[in-house]
Every structure is written in C-alpha cells, then in structure tokens.
Amino acid sequence: MNILVVDDEREIADLVELYLKNEGFQVYKFYNGSSALMCVEKEKMDLAILDIMLPDIDGLTICQKIREKQDFPIIMLTAKESEIDKITGLTIGADDYVTKPFRPLELMARVKAQLRRYTTFSSHKQTMCITIGALSIDKENHQCFIEGNLISLTPTEFDILWLLCLHKGKVVTVDQIFQELWGEKYYSANSSSIMVHIRHLREKMNDSAENPKYIKTVWGVGYKIG
C-alpha cells in the first residue's frame, strides 16, 4: 500500500518513513505541501499522514484538496493542543489526528486501523442500498441522499451512518462504533473524535433536538436510527 507522508520537520518525516517501511508500506515522503499535492495527482495513495504546520501549504488545505477527489484515509499530525485544530481537521475530511510528540508505534497502530476500516468498507462490489424514510444511502457509490438531495459526507461520516443504518432501531454504543470501524478496542482518547464526527453528521442531516428526524440520540448510551 502507498502512504503519503508530509512534514517539514525532516527528523519526524524520516522517522515515520522508517517505521512505515518496516511494516512493508511504500512511502512517498515530502517536506512541503506543493510537492505532495503534485504526487497525489500522479500516484494512487491508500492513506496520507499530513502535518498541519507546513512552510507553503498547510496540512488542512492539503486535506481539503485531497477530499475534492479522493476518499482514502487521512491522519493529521499537529503540534498544537488547541481543540479547534483537531475539530477543523475532522470537519474538512480528516479521519484521525495524532498530537506531537507521539509514539511511532501508536501512529503505526492508527495507520493500520484506518487501512483496515477503509479496505473493509471498500471491498464490497455488489450494490448495497438502504432506505429509511426520506434517507437513502448507497454503499457501493458512497452516496447519501435525503429527500432526493445528495449530502456530502466524509468517508468516516459515511461509515458511521452506514453502521447506524444496519442497526436500525437498535442502540449502537460509541464503543461499538469504534470497534467495528477501526477494528480495535475503544479507549477514552478516541471519544472526542467520534463525537465530532457524529455531531457533523447530524448537522449535515439537519438533525437536532427539535427535529430528530434521522438520528436519535440516546444520551450516555449511544446512537440509533429512528
């Protein structure tokens, strides 16, 4: 599998490259955003690891440009503790984030988890559609429609919604969401990212406490399709 690594701190980029190669991945490493974007246009990538702070084009912009055409997983690296950077990254299409300094083995675990989720949900070739009231979700084409209108969802948002649709009328806990989509045991550090994905999903579907039309929240327990 091809992994894109973009970080202007050469020591970090080189270290990530070393660990990825030891795991058998093909690495495309860049120290600036411009070269990385040119590479994405020419090569097929399976996952990207993007630093937010870059000298030319910041990682958030790169993420946004990738999402215009590609749906492979994106992991953001950030040296900032600010929650807004993490929320912004998830909003524009990032699937996960790792705060510097980080342990390389943890990053490798995140990479493998994202690839497992992506390949699992992309492996089914048959047409798979679910319709619930005005909601229609097409698994093969990764498209979601509400009342005939196409709703733009990130890959992670789509996977969460698909999982909820499969369990229509049943409670799905945050723990289940993490284990089924990422393939590993849930731990509290992932809570904020999952909740951000669900919040954005609800906003895009015009779901609220006053209008619980598509996703009903079971506070303190989990989520279910109404």
Side-chain angles (χ1 to χ4, degrees), residues 105-127:
L105 290 179
E106 178 188 353
L107 178 59
M108 294 304 104
R110 301 270 186 122
V111 167
K112 293 176 183 178
Q114 287 295 332
L115 288 173
R116 280 197 302 269
R117 178 185 63 81
Y118 182 66
T119 54
T120 297
F121 279 84
S122 299
S123 61
H124 303 288
K125 298 301 181 182
Q126 68 273 29
T127 301

Side-chain angles (χ1 to χ4, degrees), residues 85-114:
D85 291 309
K86 299 173 183 177
I87 293 175
T88 300
L90 295 173
T91 300
I92 62 177
D95 298 281
D96 200 359
Y97 59 82
V98 176
T99 303
K100 298 178 181 180
F102 57 85
R103 292 176 297 175
L105 290 179
E106 178 188 353
L107 178 59
M108 294 304 104
R110 301 270 186 122
V111 167
K112 293 176 183 178
Q114 287 295 332

